């Protein structure tokens, strides 16, 4: 068992969202006494911090998928009507309650604090340069260990030709914001753009929303409900799950389907294809609608769980004409008339406000120097090893989308999606929350226990050398390019943020095995295991299980 010296060493957690909170809680339960969470936001919650959410905002997941084992999650208001889908406010309140219940008075918080730089000195201590958002005072915080729980992509990505500075230079007189600012600037937009009812026929009284992803859809939905004219421009939009009744748990909360046989491949693709088609039909999307211009469900990871069809959901509002859609197209830039923007199909749009739902980029590239990123092994780089695995036996992976040539030239080496392989033997740095999963509560909680064991110096199934860790990590990165070729093209350009893809909790089983704990906790056999429903009760006693196992291994 770790001694007082280890448990008393300072741990800094960058981020106070789901991953940051569960990691802090597990560390405290493990006996660590000096845990600090740092966040740029005014309150905990990360993506769902109170200042980021607004009435009518719904998240990508339904009830239970973000719950953590220590705290029950209340059913959302009108659960049956929305198919169990959670609102941003639901998640905000759950995160705040989780923090108040388990962390208040135990962990330290540095809120409204921007991380400017993270570096490691010759003695192995981490120095974190931060700036208070209110006072603008800077200070250096020192930690023995760091957990990067920022989610990977949290900084606004704004094309240069559409930026506020470009708009200003072109003389555009309207408001230009990124979608990350939408909640805080909503009142300003509503004041600048008049409702289109009561005989208002001014076509310039509208908001232009650029982008086709989830953020864009949320923004358009809110503005349409508020009675504003909205125009949405995109090339492709995100695929979604939508039903007339909730999907069964064996689809939402089970493990992934098999890929290796021709029969399994046919079943796999049939299911994904039917899920997509049934979602369009359930949400009454016409066959010729641009809303069907989505990323392929099977080959991608951007999937919104939209629950049940509702008259006030995004697709219904488009069908009703409350949201104008221009697609396939992209906005090329601002006109010189000071009021309009030019669309690639020749359309001219003259909005009072522009919302850039153009995505997010690395939250890490600005806080690590290139030298520190290289030393740590968090950067993308040319492969160190030759990956011989081809997955040719995966029949379901035949005829994939084309991988962009430039994405064949680089890779990342993050072991298990948690630890830079180059740094694995130091046990002083981990990544949490930079993953994609259909069951984020379950997966993030298992990851938190893995990190706690790693930091404690517990006996674990880990690679025997840095070289082995790099080889295993690069093989997984190669698998990511094979399995999700489209993903690589839209991830940030500086550092990879999706080091592993856990669409089902099968990889969580691998992490449990790393801690000498049993996986496959949902039961079943080789035939029905993939359909068994996972349950948080399976992992609610992991702290005690880990402690007992370490005593047994001594």
């Amino acid at each position: 068992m770790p001694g007082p010296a280890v448990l008393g060493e300072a741990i800094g957690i960058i981020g106070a969202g789901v991953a940051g909170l569960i990691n802090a809680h597990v560390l405290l339960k493990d006996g660590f006494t000096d845990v600090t969470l740092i966040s740029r936001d005014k309150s905990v919650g990360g993506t769902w911090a109170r200042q980021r959410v607004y009435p009518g905002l719904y998240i990508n997941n339904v009830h239970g998928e973000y719950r953590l084992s220590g705290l029950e999650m209340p059913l959302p208001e009108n659960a049956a009507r929305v198919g169990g889908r959670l609102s941003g406010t639901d998640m905000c309140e759950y995160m705040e309650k989780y923090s108040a219940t388990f962390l208040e008075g135990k962990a330290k918080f540095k809120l409204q604090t921007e991380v400017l730089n993270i570096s490691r000195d010759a003695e192995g201590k981490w120095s974190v340069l931060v700036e208070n958002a209110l006072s603008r005072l800077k200070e250096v915080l020192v930690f023995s260990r760091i957990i990067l729980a920022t989610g990977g992509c949290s900084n606004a990505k704004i094309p240069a030709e559409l930026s506020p500075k470009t708009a200003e230079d072109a003389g555009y007189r309207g408001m230009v914001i990124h979608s990350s600012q939408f909640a805080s600037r909503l009142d300003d937009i509503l004041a600048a753009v008049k409702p289109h009812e009561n005989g208002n026929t001014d076509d310039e009284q509208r908001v232009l929303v650029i982008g086709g992803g989830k953020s864009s859809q949320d923004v358009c939905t809110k503005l349409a409900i508020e009675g504003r004219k909205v125009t949405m421009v995109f090339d492709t939009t995100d695929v979604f799950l939508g039903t007339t009744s909730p999907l069964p748990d064996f689809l939402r909360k089970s493990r992934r389907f098999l890929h290796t046989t021709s029969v399994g491949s046919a079943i796999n693709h049939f299911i994904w294809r039917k899920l997509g088609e049934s979602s369009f039909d359930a949400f009454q999307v016409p066959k010729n609608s641009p809303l069907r211009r989505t990323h392929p469900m099977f080959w991608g990871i951007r999937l919104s769980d939209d629950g049940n069809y509702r008259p006030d959901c995004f697709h219904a509002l488009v069908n009703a004409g409350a949201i104008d859609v221009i697609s396939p197209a992209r906005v090329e830039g601002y006109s010189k008339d000071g009021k309009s923007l030019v669309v690639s199909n020749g359309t001219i749009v003259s909005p009072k406000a522009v919302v850039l739902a153009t995505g997010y980029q690395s939250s890490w590239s600005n806080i690590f120097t290139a030298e520190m990123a290289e030393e740590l092994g968090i950067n993308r780089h040319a492969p160190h090893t030759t990956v011989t695995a081809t997955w040719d036996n995966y029949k379901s992976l035949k005829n994939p989308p084309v991988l962009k040539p430039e994405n064949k030239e680089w890779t990342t080496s993050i072991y298990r999606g948690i630890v830079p392989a180059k740094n694995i033997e130091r046990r002083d740095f981990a990544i949490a929350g930079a993953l994609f999963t259909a069951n984020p509560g379950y997966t993030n909680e298992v990851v938190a226990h893995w990190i706690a064991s790693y930091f404690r110096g517990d006996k674990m199934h880990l690679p025997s050398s840095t070289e082995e860790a790099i080889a295993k990590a690069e093989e997984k990165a190669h698998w990511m390019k094979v399995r999700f070729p489209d993903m690589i093209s839209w991830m940030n350009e500086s550092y990879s943020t999706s080091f592993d893809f856990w669409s089902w909790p099968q990889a969580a089983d691998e992490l449990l095995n790393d801690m000498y704990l049993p996986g496959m906790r949902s039961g079943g056999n080789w035939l029905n295991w993939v359909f068994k429903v996972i349950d948080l009760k399976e992992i609610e006693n992991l702290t005690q299980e880990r402690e007992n196992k370490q005593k047994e291994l001594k």
Side-chain angles (χ1 to χ4, degrees), residues 18 74 84 112 164 179 219 239 253 276 288 315 351 358 371 446 455 547:
V18 174
Q112 292 184 278
S179 56
V219 168
V239 69
K253 300 179 182 180
N288 61 346
H315 296 84
T358 47
E371 294 76 17
V446 174
F455 279 0
E547 183 176 345

Side-chain angles (χ1 to χ4, degrees), residues 10-53:
I11 298 178
I13 301 177
I14 316 301
V18 174
L21 297 181
I22 184 59
N23 272 274
H25 184 204
V26 171
L27 289 170
L28 291 170
K29 287 198 299 181
D30 266 36
F32 286 94
T33 59
D34 191 350
V35 179
T36 301
L37 295 96
I38 306 170
S39 174
R40 66 177 64 158
D41 297 318
K42 297 178 182 178
S43 58
V44 302
T47 301
W48 303 288
R50 191 157 293 276
Q51 64 270 30
R52 293 176 182 265
V53 301

Side-chain angles (χ1 to χ4, degrees), residues 152 164 268 272 318 385 395 413:
N268 211 328
W272 284 110
V318 172
T385 59
K395 305 300 183 182
S413 49

Side-chain angles (χ1 to χ4, degrees), residues 422-444:
K422 196 173 182 179
N423 196 68
I424 194 167
E425 295 182 33
R426 300 188 68 140
R427 294 201 179 207
D428 69 346
F429 184 92
I431 299 164
L435 52 87
F436 296 90
T437 170
N439 295 279
Y442 188 104
T443 307
N444 275 300

Side-chain angles (χ1 to χ4, degrees), residues 43-250:
S43 58
V44 302
T47 301
W48 303 288
R50 191 157 293 276
Q51 64 270 30
R52 293 176 182 265
V53 301
Y54 50 88
L57 172 67
Y58 286 91
I59 76 169
N60 284 349
N61 301 79
V62 296
H63 176 261
E65 291 175 352
Y66 258 108
R67 187 174 81 81
L68 302 170
S69 69
L71 184 67
E72 288 294 330
M73 177 179 282
L75 278 170
E77 185 178 355
N78 301 318
R81 187 180 75 87
V82 299
R85 199 175 183 209
L86 293 174
S87 70
T89 302
D90 292 329
M91 277 301 303
C92 172
E93 292 176 349
Y94 184 76
M95 292 293 98
E96 290 178 346
K97 185 175 181 180
Y98 191 90
S99 178
T101 302
F102 299 114
L103 304 182
E104 194 172 299
K106 300 175 183 177
K108 303 172 188 176
F109 287 88
K110 300 282 288 186
L111 301 177
Q112 292 184 278
T113 301
E114 189 76 31
V115 175
L116 302 179
N117 181 260
I118 300 176
S119 61
R120 184 168 54 193
D121 63 25
E123 297 179 354
K125 295 290 186 180
W126 291 99
S127 295
V128 181
L129 175 63
V130 300
E131 181 181 67
N132 183 279
L134 299 178
S135 67
R136 294 302 175 188
L137 293 177
K138 297 179 182 178
E139 64 176 318
V140 175
L141 307 175
V142 179
F143 301 103
S144 295
R145 293 171 177 80
I146 290 287
I147 298 177
L148 202 56
T150 59
C153 288
S154 60
N155 289 342
K157 182 177 182 180
I158 300 177
E161 68 273 15
L162 300 175
S163 71
K165 178 63 168 61
T166 302
E168 181 183 350
D169 292 344
Y172 177 68
R173 296 184 293 271
M175 182 189 310
V176 180
I177 66 167
H178 187 265
S179 56
S180 59
Q181 303 169 283
F182 182 69
S184 62
R185 300 296 303 277
L186 176 57
D187 289 341
D188 296 332
I189 293 175
L190 297 181
V193 183
K194 298 177 182 178
H196 62 76
E197 43 192 44
N198 300 324
N200 176 19
T201 59
D202 185 354
D203 197 54
E204 295 182 5
Q205 290 292 333
R206 71 171 58 243
V207 181
L208 173 63
V209 182
I210 302 174
K214 173 68 167 51
S215 296
S216 178
Q217 295 177 17
D218 291 338
V219 168
C220 290
T221 299
K222 177 61 177 176
L223 292 172
I225 290 174
E226 292 291 339
R228 269 58 178 184
K229 289 182 181 178
V230 189
T231 296
M232 179 184 186
V233 179
F234 63 85
D235 181 30
T236 56
T237 186
D238 285 353
V239 69
F240 68 98
L241 284 178
T243 61
T244 54
S245 59
L247 287 172
D249 280 347
F250 81 86

Side-chain angles (χ1 to χ4, degrees), residues 58-61 85 179 210-219 232-242 272 275-277 279-280 283 285 289-306 314-315 318 325 327 357-360 436 486-487 489-491:
Y58 286 91
I59 76 169
N60 284 349
N61 301 79
R85 199 175 183 209
S179 56
I210 302 174
K214 173 68 167 51
S215 296
S216 178
Q217 295 177 17
D218 291 338
V219 168
M232 179 184 186
V233 179
F234 63 85
D235 181 30
T236 56
T237 186
D238 285 353
V239 69
F240 68 98
L241 284 178
W272 284 110
L275 283 174
E277 292 174 358
S279 296
F280 287 134
F283 276 51
V285 179
S289 170
L291 297 184
R292 289 182 178 252
R293 289 184 54 83
T294 62
H295 303 278
M297 185 180 289
F298 176 81
W299 294 106
I301 59 178
R302 288 182 288 182
L303 176 64
S304 178
D305 196 337
D306 283 5
F314 167 74
H315 296 84
V318 172
V325 172
S327 176
T358 47
Y360 293 84
F436 296 90
D486 180 57
M487 183 211 71
S489 65
W490 63 267
M491 294 306 291

